[in-house]
Amino acid sequence: MSRNTIPCVRAKGDPFSIGFALGKASASGFRERGLSTERFRALDARWRGSDHLKTLESAARIAYPRYVREIEGIAAGLEQNFETVLLWNCRADLRLPEDVSPVTKAVAAIGCTSLLIPAEGDGPAVIAHNEDGAADFLGACLWVEVEPDEGPAWRSFMTPGMLPGETFGLNEAGLVQTINNITPNDLQPGVSRQIICRAILDASGLDEAVKILNRKDRASGFHHNLGEAKTRRLASVEAPASGCVVREVASPQAHANHLLFEQFDDLQQTISSSSRDRQEAADRMIAEGALARGAEALLFDETTPIYKNGRDNNSRTLATSVFALFPDRVEWRVHAAPDERNTLRGMIRVVQCGGEVAGRICVSF
């Protein structure tokens, strides 16, 4: 029996209805593995009822009211009050109290590993990703397939209680996004990075996604790996609260959850030993030709480890995804573990008609 089940949940309708379905599906995981963590308890004690949390809520409601409505639906599905679920979703935008344990600080700095592999000839561009997270969430996450009344259909990996977008996913415009955590010291009042990630799942293409990431009112940020099927363009975007740097990708590269671009050399950030080791190992393996054996050859490395196999009790790889972007489609697969491949597979076919992008999503399991 799998230790890392990834159930598929389907939702459709208005934002509240979608959120309610996703919250209900993730309620047990949230209650059992989210509320009890030291990180959440510490943030709850420090920030509940605070003016700063109210500012984050206000900024989100002004910028993206539909996504706040989705959070309200998630809260109802979880049978939790809205402030609890808002705080859960905004926890990366909130500073931890100084007296939390080193383990909790380490959990806050957990990050993922992504690969960006440009197309060669008529072949696909590829985005591949290890979704790393707190070990408690292994076997508690979902794959969600959403057909909203407004905006494109989208698919995403989902952590219990979280607004989807901050892991890996795609939409019917053929836009793919995977996320790497970064921990710079530049938090500010503004729109939560969770809301920003959800907004990108509604983007019509790469240019619109980059426009969203260039907002000046972001409370914190991520590193975003973005791909557009119709052009096979790939972009690596470092977007802390204090800036946004976009680099289109011309050769295979990896990103392991700390800022790499020289424009941010003067920005203080936390770089864990795992993050540094994974970046160095991935760069070396790419140079040695490991990608000739497929993205999994690198992402399933257990020597560094790039694939987090339990050596670090704080963090595990919760899923591995590979997206192949062709001009007319995206083919994707999700692995639960190196020995549990293709847990989920699917294809989205993107067609151009009348100046608008339409898509058809076909899923197999």
Side-chain angles (χ1 to χ4, degrees), residues 279-316:
Q279 186 68 54
E280 292 175 354
D283 289 345
R284 183 187 69 252
M285 292 176 72
I286 290 172
E288 292 172 349
L291 295 180
R293 295 180 282 119
E296 289 92 341
L298 191 153
L299 292 178
F300 286 158
D301 163 74
E302 296 190 56
T303 57
T304 306
I306 293 174
Y307 180 84
K308 295 186 177 179
N309 54 9
R311 185 184 305 175
D312 175 358
N313 292 329
N314 301 321
S315 177
R316 293 294 298 269

Side-chain angles (χ1 to χ4, degrees), residues 91-342:
R91 63 192 187 277
D93 310 297
L94 302 168
R95 298 187 189 280
L96 279 167
E98 292 296 328
D99 59 350
V100 298
S101 70
V103 170
T104 293
K105 291 178 180 178
V107 168
I110 286 173
C112 310
T113 305
S114 285
L115 300 175
L116 292 157
I117 308 170
E120 293 186 5
D122 295 330
V126 173
I127 298 180
H129 178 79
N130 276 354
E131 180 60 32
D132 299 335
D136 289 342
F137 288 109
L138 187 71
C141 298
L142 309 172
W143 176 254
V144 301
E145 302 181 346
V146 177
E147 309 285 340
D149 289 343
E150 181 180 352
W154 50 270
R155 307 292 187 255
S156 179
F157 191 74
M158 178 185 172
T159 306
M162 295 294 283
L163 188 69
E166 43 74 62
T167 53
F168 56 84
L170 75 165
N171 70 15
E172 68 177 343
L175 183 70
V176 173
Q177 173 178 237
T178 73
I179 297 296
N180 292 335
N181 188 34
I182 53 175
T183 51
N185 187 27
D186 67 344
L187 303 184
Q188 63 184 16
V191 180
S192 170
R193 68 182 190 174
Q194 197 72 22
I195 297 284
I196 294 293
C197 289
R198 173 63 185 87
I200 289 175
L201 283 179
D202 275 355
S204 61
L206 184 57
D207 292 340
E208 184 180 349
V210 168
K211 183 177 180 181
I212 292 167
L213 291 173
N214 270 291
R215 293 184 67 109
K216 306 302 182 187
D217 59 348
R218 294 176 294 107
S220 65
F222 280 119
H223 170 258
H224 299 251
N225 306 278
L226 300 173
E228 181 180 79
K230 58 187 175 182
T231 60
R232 295 184 297 171
R233 293 163 61 203
L234 301 178
S236 175
V237 185
E238 292 190 346
S242 54
C244 177
V245 177
V246 182
R247 291 186 178 175
E248 292 212 20
V249 175
S251 59
Q253 60 183 250
H255 201 287
N257 84 274
H258 59 272
L259 295 167
L260 301 175
F261 300 164
E262 64 273 8
Q263 289 89 338
F264 298 119
D265 284 349
D266 294 332
L267 179 57
Q268 182 181 1
Q269 64 172 319
T270 299
I271 304 176
S272 68
S273 58
S274 169
S275 180
R276 182 176 285 107
D277 291 348
R278 284 181 287 116
Q279 186 68 54
E280 292 175 354
D283 289 345
R284 183 187 69 252
M285 292 176 72
I286 290 172
E288 292 172 349
L291 295 180
R293 295 180 282 119
E296 289 92 341
L298 191 153
L299 292 178
F300 286 158
D301 163 74
E302 296 190 56
T303 57
T304 306
I306 293 174
Y307 180 84
K308 295 186 177 179
N309 54 9
R311 185 184 305 175
D312 175 358
N313 292 329
N314 301 321
S315 177
R316 293 294 298 269
T317 296
L318 305 178
T320 298
S321 59
V322 181
F323 299 90
L325 289 75
F326 297 87
D328 64 339
R329 68 192 187 278
V330 179
E331 298 176 359
W332 52 267
R333 55 189 184 271
V334 177
H335 310 304
D339 58 352
E340 294 181 51
R341 300 198 182 198
N342 299 323

